[in-house]
Amino acid sequence: MTQMTLDVAKTLLAAAEQKAKELRLSCDIAIVDEGANLVAFHRMDNARIAGIDISQSKAWTSVAMKMPTSNLAQSAQPGGATFGINTTNQGRLVILGGGIPLTVDGRIVGGIGVSGGTSAQDIEVANAAVQTFEKLRVSGNDQTPNARIGSAYQYYQYN
């Protein structure tokens, strides 16, 4: 897998949604490509409207900064090495947990951003998608045309 496709993004959204449901959360979930451009977005029923922009900005930040957004949270505190960084880039940089870059052989191919719970919960939901991404990457299966969002059933299989 060398790029983020819509099919892969749909599979990642489904994995994140499933984890959010397990946690009884209504989340906004965004998937971006290597240029931090939105590939797919999913707003679960009753998810906060504010989370639309937050999740997309978390995904953008993870790619733009080449690190999970949670890494920025501590260093952006008063007295930290990156204090005030969240005021740059027209305020688009997010220092809340829930944004994680997706990499292949050390190269960023995309990112996920989740908003809907606490930072720890958003990270947990995003990590479900990251784990699915790793399984897809290892299996070499980047074409998942049967992935469906919003279903309790899993439509993809791993070897």
Side-chain angles (χ1 to χ4, degrees), residues 83-157:
F83 176 67
I85 195 166
N86 55 305
T87 64
T88 67
N89 295 277
Q90 292 79 45
R92 189 156 191 200
L93 278 173
V94 176
I95 61 171
L96 305 170
I100 302 175
L102 302 167
T103 62
V104 174
D105 298 326
R107 187 175 66 82
I108 293 177
V109 296
I112 181 167
V114 176
S115 179
T118 64
S119 283
Q121 290 170 323
D122 290 350
I123 292 167
E124 190 172 350
V125 172
N127 273 327
V130 171
Q131 290 169 358
T132 297
F133 178 78
E134 289 301 317
K135 289 177 184 174
L136 288 173
R137 191 180 65 75
V138 168
S139 72
N141 179 14
D142 62 4
Q143 298 300 316
T144 53
N146 293 324
R148 303 229 171 111
I149 296 172
S151 173
Y153 302 102
Q154 292 192 13
Y155 289 90
Y156 45 85
Q157 296 180 359

Side-chain angles (χ1 to χ4, degrees), residues 13-29 42 44 114-117 121-122 124-126 128-129:
L13 290 175
E17 180 185 17
Q18 182 177 340
K19 176 53 83 173
K21 285 181 177 179
E22 288 173 16
L23 297 173
R24 298 181 187 268
L25 297 172
S26 293
C27 293
D28 294 285
I29 308 160
H42 183 63
M44 294 175 66
V114 176
S115 179
Q121 290 170 323
D122 290 350
E124 190 172 350
V125 172

